[in-house]
Amino acid sequence: MSIDFLSQPTEELFREDSRLTECVARIRALDERGVRLDRTVFYPQGGGQAGDAGELLLADGTRIAIADTRKGEAPGEIVHVPAAEQSDALGKLRPGDRVTARIDWGRRYRHMRFHTATHLLCALVPHPVDGCSITAAYARLDFHMQEPLDKEALTAGIARLVAESHPVRHRWITDAELDADPTLVRSMSVRPPRGSGRVRVLEIEGVDLQPCGGTHVANTSEVGMVVVKKIEKKSAMTRRVVLEFAT
Ligand SMILES: [Zn+2]
């Protein structure tokens, strides 16, 4: 195995195709924190979105349950965190071995629906966001604002944007393209980070445009029935909106 194989960042297949549920990958390394692969469909916790769970399948049929996915210390490193008490199965893993990495799609799809719903909320509440958490059970967004928010009006606003079936897509934009088109930056609800050379932006056609590295559905109609469960005044300058799926 070359040093390059060990030191390159994990290939992030979920960035280009959020609907990939599995991939074949090679094990780069494993330690007490978890398993590193050369490529993966597992989204690591970040940008408020929870990390993926799922399983790694070995050639002999052994299954290793993955409880969570986190970023490692090195840039671009992704750590698949095994569920507890699997030392026998984990003992079979060797660097260089091929495995099938498969996410818990039901859980991830809820993340994608909620994540897309938080973008709809950003379009309805034109204030800066200073906190975000997206799980399979709920999503919450903290807005930096003093004005009160109306629960029913926001639920109705989300339902309207879902019913309007807006296409959702991402694209990569270079710093040079941003500089050349100031209207692009002005239309974004969040200012893009500079310096890395390119930034991934998420566009909900006619609704929202902002830099985002997370996973989303392909059309707002997929978000389905999402309701504003509660609105909390977290501080004098923070209003927290909690979303849940309607049951
Ligand atoms: Zn997003």
Side-chain angles (χ1 to χ4, degrees), residues 115 119 212 216:
H115 191 139
H119 284 263
C212 187
H216 313 83

Side-chain angles (χ1 to χ4, degrees), residues 124 154-164 224-226:
L124 296 167
L154 286 181
T155 293
I158 292 170
R160 174 177 58 79
L161 294 169
V162 169
E164 287 172 357
M225 292 276 286
V226 166

Side-chain angles (χ1 to χ4, degrees), residues 199-212:
V199 59
R200 185 182 191 267
V201 296
L202 195 283
E203 179 178 25
I204 300 180
E205 204 176 278
V207 178
D208 186 48
L209 178 69
Q210 63 177 282
C212 187

